Amino acid sequence: MRLGMVIDLKRCIGCYGCQLSCKAENGTPPGVFFARVLKQVSGKYPTVQNTFLPVLCNHCDDPPCVEVCPTGAAFVWEEDGIVDVDHDKCVGCRTCMLACPYSQRFFNDETRPYFGEGGATPFETARASHHQTGVILKCNLCRDRVRDGGKPACVENCPTVARIFGDFDDPNSEVSHLIKERGGFPLRPEKGTKPRVYYLPA
Amino acid sequence: MNIIDPKFGTLEAEEKAPHEDNTWVSSSCALCYGSCSIKAHRVDGVIVKIEGNPDSVVGKGRLCGKGVSGIMSHYDPNRVTKPLRRTNPEKGIGVDPKWKEVSWDEALDEIAAELVRIRAEDPRKLLLQRTTTVTASRLPFQAFAAGFGTPNHSTGGGGLHCGNGAHLISGIMHASWGVLPDFQYCNYAIYFGASKGHSAGHASTSNMGMAADARARGMKMVVVDPMCNFAAAKASEWVPIRVGTDGALALAMCNVLVNDLGVIDAPYLKAKTNGPYLTGPDKRYMRDAFTGKPLVWDERAGGARPFDESDPADMALEGTFSVDGTACRPSFDRLKEHFLQFTPEWAEEITTVPAANIRRITKEFADEARVGSTIVIDGVTVPYRPVAAIAFRGSQGHKNSVYNFLAVDLLNQMVGAADVAGSCLGFNPTCHGHPDTGQPWYEPNADPDGLMITGMWMGYHYPYPVGAPRLPQNIGLQDLFVMSMTSPFLDSTDREKLWDDMDLPYRPEMIINYGSNLLMSIANKDVVAESLKTYKMIVSFDVLLTETSEFADIVLPDCDYLQSKDSRSNFPFIFSLPAGMGEWCWPIRQPVAEPQGEQRPMAEVMLELADRVGFRADLNAGYNGAINLRPPYRLEGDKKYTYEEICDHDLKNNFGPEHGWEWFKEHGLIKWDKKPEEVYWRAFVDVRVPIYWEWMIDTHKEIAAIAEPRGLQIPEEYYDPMATWLPCLSHEEHGEGFDFYAFYYRDIIHTNSYTMENPWLDEAARLDPFSYNIAINTESGRAQGLADGDAIAVETSTGRRVEGRVKLTEAIHPEGLGIAALAGHWVDTMPIAKGKGVFFNELLELDYEHASPVNLNLDLCAKVKITRLEAAS
């Protein structure tokens, strides 16, 4: 099983529901986004295209972040292909950040509550207390939720149902069908990392 | 590949102590007035997650970015936790109130004493003011106002900034609070300054999903908007338009549709509108001498008949007839001729939309309308008109609010695309109730002229029939301007003069405010500040100390939506339940967390205040009226009910004795299936809607008769029965250097001014290219020597001024200057929000001249010039 995601750019409306439900699920500190929405205007007035592009870790089949990790902290789960970090092994050297062509790895340098001097909220204390500092944080497709039979928070929450989660190994899965039928494409395929986040054209 | 510890990161690896408290609570969001259904996860007293409630159709188990971020608003360390009393009598912007903490008892004693004095003198001196964000706050405030005896209540910037046009005309034409495309069946939707399905507000999250389904199904979406963001970004065609000119475009489209293409739904116009009603030389209806009913020309009988004595199929829509020697014409005939002046070439001059595009889009709309077709849904045959023209805040947020919105809706009316399958839908105007109880039950009905009266409404007055104007008794003059709802005259520069001239027999002296930030949410801050200074006492229920709290005498620490209860977070259904087929759904709001410090829920405090003042019996009567409680659930005499008991009565009143508060606490909501006869009610309910607003002639005369002798001119052109084009003040301003029309738009990650303090939403907005910046067309900006990130000043000809950073973009009209949301807080007590974004409303004047003389909607655009202050940092 190789889990991954298909994002339908026709359905996405750039509401930031993924970016923020991810934050709520993972309690990520300021500046750290396992999921983000990018906006890009192309064309010339009045013929313009305003594109909303949700991004996240691509959970590559050939992840350069794992290849370069000197301590073995960056790894791939054999059972589902999810690219993850063992924080107990991570020494925060940040080599993986340089290696990732998608800028989807984040260094957690210190504990920073969102309200600054206001201190950590009870939510942050409860939800983010397990984040180690001096290590890399990244998306692991909400592996706990998935192992409980659920879907990643960003998928389950997307108001436009633009995110579809599934097994890329299964030719009959919804993700496999959508990629085939709708001409799905990954970002920066030239990097050769074989990403498992595909996009359907707007 | 690296080696994995097989247990790492798995649930069994974590040695979790069992939690004493580990609960998911079903409730309702309140980050915007969409009030989506949520499930909040509480572990050992701490809310650790908020998700959508998949059992509910309100959000359908999903939430927008704002909704999932509610936790951070809830746990904001800047929240007010104790009652505060100001010790500095001087009030002003930036003047420290020098707060002193007081006990609830002290605070309520002082408030009650003032209320007792005012109620004895003249209860109308009390103004009840609330935010639009928490929809359910309407009930306790409405009941309190009724019980206390004041007609003066208002909803922040609410009506002035969205609804005086949209709600009025949606009410008159669709019996609902607003309109949207029937996403399940519509094939071609034209949006005029609306973002349904792409932003906040009415059923927003559900609409996001339904609109996405519609696009995926192939619905074409043409979006008329000065900016290509949100809805326009997802459109099959973006139609950039000069700010505020949507009405001119819609009128030209009506002309092409009716006169060039000749596409109308004649059977619909005859049976469901006042199109066949005969009008005489004075533009009024010809009426039957005996019954007083409007006459139609019965072609089979060859003579005039009262409208209700003739078969609609026999009614003439066109021609000139003679009734008792008076020449008369059906109102449709007049309207058709009236449209002729609005040629596409004329509209191109005003709107900048090329005439050829106007013709093409109208042709596409006409072709897709499939006039005459039907479809079978759930075994019921209903008319099928899969086109919709919708409008909302953008197009009707102007001085010409009424005609801009009406002109758009006339496109639907001409082809019968109103509340039938695939068409423009009002949200849920007909409900036949839960199968067990038949409640709640409402549907539109007809007045003596056959015209529609909405079956359900939200406050102020019904949109139709229009009341008789009188010398005003309300500080907002809504009883003089009888087609208005929210009024600018509570705070306008000319309010005192208007009150003097109109002999208002009292002056307001006290405000009880629930969460609205008036200083920011109406217009420029100075005019509102001057108004607030005149009040003897301002009491404000607040979660945070806002710019408006700074003017309060007493601040009461409010519970937020995660600490409060409401029996009807999504009722009335005309407000924020998804339209179209599916399920009716009635969720509640219930506390997930305890109050912090001494916070108390507003609804309970209002009950205690009524007791302290001594009008519980009147308050109970106010609740009985506001929620139509019937025996045995009517509140009795002066019996002291808790708010939870009132909620319990409300629920049992609608859903029977077994479905009270306790049942809802456990289940969160009740739902049942919608029927096609409810959703597509237009074909099943015998009412007509006015495409010709005949009453406007008399309404104008009656208002003018009162106002003009007192020095207030009521321009007649705003009261013509037929929608026409009237420019904004900004369109007539041609000062040198004033090259841009400034407008604001709703940002998808912010609601009003409240969410600016949420650090997650603030962070997202800082990363967004537009949220906190001033959008200007790339070429227009470069012509002024501007580059991305430059600091600029934006000024009006009256010297109103804001500053901000430029974002040059191809996605905006060359004359547009777009500012997002309601940003630019300045108080230290909202440290996350302070200094973020641009305070657009500062550019707005607030007086009669800048308001529609019909519905008092404020003109929300301003002609501005820009000055470069410094280069990008």
Side-chain angles (χ1 to χ4, degrees), chain B residues 105-122:
Chain B
D105 222 28
E106 280 175 90
L108 294 184
D109 268 351
E110 187 174 347
I111 298 165
E114 189 67 359
L115 286 170
V116 166
R117 178 186 71 80
I118 284 178
R119 196 161 191 247
E121 285 177 21
D122 188 336

Side-chain angles (χ1 to χ4, degrees), chain B residues 139-150:
Chain B
L139 180 57
F141 263 53
Q142 195 181 354
F144 192 94
F148 190 81
T150 179

Side-chain angles (χ1 to χ4, degrees), chain A residues 63-72 74 93-100 105, chain B residues 2:
Chain A
C65 54
V66 173
E67 290 305 320
V68 301
C69 179
T71 67
C93 71
R94 288 176 261 184
T95 314
C96 59
M97 288 175 71
L98 296 170
C100 174
R105 302 178 72 89
Chain B
N2 296 316

Side-chain angles (χ1 to χ4, degrees), chain A residues 9-12 16 25 31 33 39 45 50 72 74 76-77 85 114-115 123 127 144-145 148 157-159, chain B residues 2-4 8-9 11 48-49 51 62-63 76-77 209 213 215 228 234 240 749 760 763 768 810 812 814:
Chain A
L9 299 181
K10 194 176 186 68
R11 300 185 74 99
C12 172
Y16 293 102
E25 180 70 22
F33 300 96
K39 292 188 177 180
Y45 177 89
N50 191 346
V76 177
W77 290 97
V85 180
Y114 262 97
F115 285 100
F123 164 82
R127 196 95 193 174
D144 281 353
R145 290 176 70 106
D148 277 352
N157 184 68
C158 176
Chain B
N2 296 316
I3 299 160
I4 315 153
F8 163 75
L11 292 176
V48 295
K49 188 80 192 292
E51 298 189 352
R62 293 153 195 266
L63 294 173
D76 189 332
D213 286 346
R215 287 196 311 277
C228 181
K234 304 311 294 184
I749 40 171
W760 288 355
E763 184 182 42
D768 185 284
E810 299 287 344
I812 189 169

Side-chain angles (χ1 to χ4, degrees), chain B residues 263-486:
Chain B
V263 175
I264 58 166
D265 185 343
Y268 172 85
L269 288 164
K270 289 177 182 182
K272 298 293 181 184
T273 76
N274 66 349
Y277 289 11
L278 293 171
T279 58
D282 62 356
K283 293 182 163 181
R284 286 191 177 80
Y285 296 146
M286 300 292 290
R287 289 183 183 272
D288 180 57
F290 183 67
T291 62
K293 299 277 184 188
L295 295 171
V296 296
W297 189 263
D298 189 312
E299 292 190 299
R300 197 157 55 148
R305 293 279 183 278
F307 76 91
D308 52 356
E309 293 177 21
S310 194
D311 183 337
D314 297 330
M315 295 177 185
L317 280 177
E318 297 184 54
T320 302
F321 307 97
S322 177
V323 176
D324 297 335
T326 303
C328 53
R329 306 157 65 185
S331 67
F332 174 78
D333 193 61
R334 274 187 191 276
L335 194 60
K336 184 178 175 189
E337 184 184 270
H338 171 77
F339 286 152
L340 282 171
Q341 63 189 298
F342 308 119
T343 65
E345 284 70 22
W346 165 86
E348 178 174 342
E349 283 288 309
I350 293 170
T351 64
T352 75
V353 180
N357 288 1
I358 298 174
R359 290 197 171 88
R360 175 181 50 79
I361 294 166
T362 312
K363 175 80 164 53
E364 289 169 5
F365 182 83
D367 289 346
E368 290 286 355
R370 305 187 193 196
V371 172
S373 62
T374 57
I375 189 170
V376 178
I377 295 173
D378 287 1
V380 180
T381 302
V382 292
Y384 178 53
R385 301 285 179 282
V387 293
I390 67 154
F392 193 39
R393 216 293 290 160
S395 49
Q396 60 90 76
H398 300 279
K399 186 165 177 170
N400 53 18
S401 172
V402 172
Y403 289 149
N404 266 13
F405 196 98
L406 178 59
V408 171
D409 192 52
L410 286 176
L411 288 165
N412 301 313
Q413 300 297 337
M414 291 302 116
V415 298
D419 307 296
V420 298
S423 74
C424 172
L425 293 185
F427 333 139
N428 310 304
T430 294
C431 176
H432 294 163
H434 190 276
D436 292 349
T437 60
Q439 296 292 332
W441 191 98
Y442 58 87
E443 74 176 19
N445 57 90
D447 82 338
D449 283 354
L451 298 189
M452 181 175 71
I453 303 171
T454 179
M456 175 55 62
W457 201 241
M458 291 284 288
Y460 295 107
H461 52 79
Y462 270 36
Y464 182 89
V466 172
R470 65 175 185 180
L471 206 53
Q473 305 287 303
N474 295 7
I475 57 174
L477 314 190
Q478 294 102 329
D479 43 351
L480 173 64
F481 293 94
V482 286
M483 295 174 71
S484 67
M485 295 183 212
T486 301

Side-chain angles (χ1 to χ4, degrees), chain A residues 4-50:
Chain A
M5 201 179 293
V6 168
I7 299 177
D8 187 344
L9 299 181
K10 194 176 186 68
R11 300 185 74 99
C12 172
I13 58 167
C15 77
Y16 293 102
C18 49
Q19 180 171 319
L20 291 153
S21 60
C22 171
K23 205 153 256 308
E25 180 70 22
N26 294 293
T28 50
V32 175
F33 300 96
F34 298 167
R36 248 197 89 177
V37 178
L38 305 177
K39 292 188 177 180
Q40 172 83 48
V41 174
S42 54
K44 196 147 176 60
Y45 177 89
T47 311
V48 301
Q49 178 70 44
N50 191 346

